[in-house]
Amino acid sequence: MKHLPNILSSLRIAGTVALLLCDVVGTTFWAFYALCGISDIADGGLARKLKCVTKRGALLDSVADICFVACCVWKLLPILELPQWLWLWAGVIVAIKAVNQLSALVMYGRCCFPHTTANKWAGFLLFIAVPMTFYTAIPLAIVASVATFAAIHENYFIRTRNNMRKIVT
């Protein structure tokens, strides 16, 4: 039972591979999308409830998140018509997150993917906003606002040694 959260994260990685094989306009893609998103929400809460939170599990969750987002970007960006300002904003968020990882590498000798409340909200909002993006870019503007705050907060988290000791040591 204590391995269930890690199993969910591993299944999310497998689900992203299935997403790559599905047609975006088909219901199979969106069923896998929903399952991957729900498993992302469930694994962390389940780990805390079962009292089996581990650094390895947090890393596996982060890897699964990266795989899920990368797969969705790969499949959805060619068919979405997003305004240029949103692309620029996304680039700023990616740049902040890259600087965060560089900071963690310089300060602690490793990357760090803090599971802050702001990051969790940004991920959840992105999950529910993506299907709406076919109709309007407004949900993604809201997500970009939260994600910008989360990236800046993540930088503060990484640079505060007391917070990092919980993750790194």
Side-chain angles (χ1 to χ4, degrees), residues 62 65-66 69 89-105 110-123 126 143-144 146-159:
S62 294
D65 290 346
I66 291 167
V69 169
W89 198 348
V92 168
I93 294 167
V94 169
I96 294 169
K97 289 201 163 271
V99 167
N100 293 348
Q101 292 309 311
L102 185 61
S103 295
L105 278 171
R110 63 180 66 174
C111 289
C112 169
F113 304 97
H115 292 251
T116 64
T117 302
N119 275 332
K120 290 176 186 178
W121 271 104
L126 181 61
V143 172
V146 174
T148 302
F149 173 80
I152 293 167
H153 180 257
E154 180 179 282
N155 183 279
Y156 171 77
F157 189 94
I158 288 170
R159 291 175 179 270

Side-chain angles (χ1 to χ4, degrees), residues 26-148:
T27 55
T28 307
F29 177 88
W30 293 104
F32 275 112
Y33 178 86
L35 288 172
C36 288
I38 291 167
S39 74
D40 184 25
I41 295 165
D43 62 359
L46 197 56
R48 286 184 293 281
K49 184 175 182 175
L50 296 173
K51 296 183 171 110
C52 57
V53 175
T54 64
K55 291 176 185 169
R56 178 177 282 160
L59 179 62
L60 182 61
D61 178 53
S62 294
V63 168
D65 290 346
I66 291 167
C67 291
F68 183 46
V69 169
C71 172
C72 289
V73 165
W74 180 266
K75 293 294 280 190
L76 294 170
L77 283 185
I79 63 171
L80 292 176
E81 295 179 20
L82 301 176
Q84 187 175 14
W85 61 265
L86 195 55
W87 285 102
L88 293 172
W89 198 348
V92 168
I93 294 167
V94 169
I96 294 169
K97 289 201 163 271
V99 167
N100 293 348
Q101 292 309 311
L102 185 61
S103 295
L105 278 171
V106 168
M107 293 176 72
Y108 308 106
R110 63 180 66 174
C111 289
C112 169
F113 304 97
H115 292 251
T116 64
T117 302
N119 275 332
K120 290 176 186 178
W121 271 104
F124 173 73
L125 291 173
L126 181 61
F127 168 65
I128 61 173
V130 164
M132 292 184 257
T133 305
F134 287 98
Y135 306 105
T136 179
I138 292 170
L140 284 182
I142 295 167
V143 172
S145 299
V146 174
T148 302

Side-chain angles (χ1 to χ4, degrees), residues 107-108 156-169:
M107 293 176 72
Y108 308 106
Y156 171 77
F157 189 94
I158 288 170
R159 291 175 179 270
T160 306
R161 288 192 181 274
N162 290 336
N163 290 331
M164 282 302 294
R165 283 191 190 115
K166 296 176 194 172
I167 295 175
V168 176
T169 58

